Amino acid sequence: MEPKNHDQVFFINFGMVLGILVAIAFVCAFAARLLDSGNEHEEPQAQARLEDRIKPVATVVTDPSVLVKLAAAAQAARPAMTGDQVYAKVCTGCHAAGVLGAPKVGDKADWGARLKSQGGVDGLLKKAISGINSMPPRGGDASLSDDEMKGAIEHMLKQTGL
């Protein structure tokens, strides 16, 4: 028996396997080319759906001037809430139960004293906008306008009987 050159056998086998894999790749590429219908006949609705699916979910804005403009646009797009709606959404959590020293709706003495010491509804509005004691500015909802805040204060005063 004659000794075989193992390196030569390896390279022959490797070449055959590589040739088969390249042939398979060409067959797959040819089949894909046959199956592809192309984008030139695609309907506009399908293109619109595709663009909708791949659009960014959100954008990040860090420029303060742009942020101010976006906040103003969002405020203008939102319908104004009534005083009752603002009270139900923001104020009732503290003012219904008197949490953290908030004057309870219906407590004439407490509301009357605050009304006098703050200089009326406009004084109460100023404090509600800037925050007072444990109450955060605008009751914790920065999207509320001054008119909505005033409506909520007037609603609470009306419910209290003042």
Side-chain angles (χ1 to χ4, degrees):
M1 268 179 124
E2 197 175 310
K4 292 186 176 181
N5 185 349
H6 293 290
D7 288 342
Q8 187 178 12
V9 171
F10 171 78
F11 283 116
I12 289 172
N13 289 337
F14 182 75
M16 284 192 312
V17 169
L18 192 59
I20 290 170
L21 290 175
V22 168
I24 291 173
F26 278 120
V27 168
C28 289
F30 180 72
R33 183 80 93 172
L34 287 176
L35 295 174
D36 183 27
S37 63
N39 289 341
E40 61 273 358
H41 301 295
E42 207 171 293
E43 59 196 48
Q45 295 89 1
Q47 185 69 25
R49 284 193 309 269
L50 173 67
E51 289 175 8
D52 187 47
R53 280 196 319 262
I54 64 172
K55 71 179 179 188
V57 175
T59 57
V60 177
V61 179
T62 57
D63 182 12
S65 63
V66 175
L67 288 172
V68 169
K69 289 177 186 174
L70 288 173
Q75 179 70 19
R78 180 178 64 82
M81 291 190 289
T82 65
D84 184 36
Q85 291 171 325
V86 173
Y87 172 74
K89 179 183 175 194
V90 180
C91 310
T92 191
C94 297
H95 288 283
V99 176
L100 297 172
K104 284 175 72 171
V105 172
D107 185 350
K108 281 187 178 184
D110 198 2
W111 277 104
R114 286 178 190 254
L115 204 54
K116 274 186 186 175
S117 69
Q118 300 299 330
V121 174
D122 290 334
L124 286 174
L125 176 62
K126 261 179 141 176
K127 289 297 182 180
I129 290 171
S130 65
I132 184 170
N133 299 330
S134 297
M135 180 179 155
R138 296 188 183 276
D141 187 350
S143 70
L144 293 175
S145 69
D146 293 356
D147 290 335
E148 290 170 325
M149 294 288 298
K150 187 173 184 176
I153 292 168
E154 289 171 344
H155 171 76
M156 288 187 281
L157 291 172
K158 182 179 175 188
Q159 293 296 316
T160 303
L162 296 175

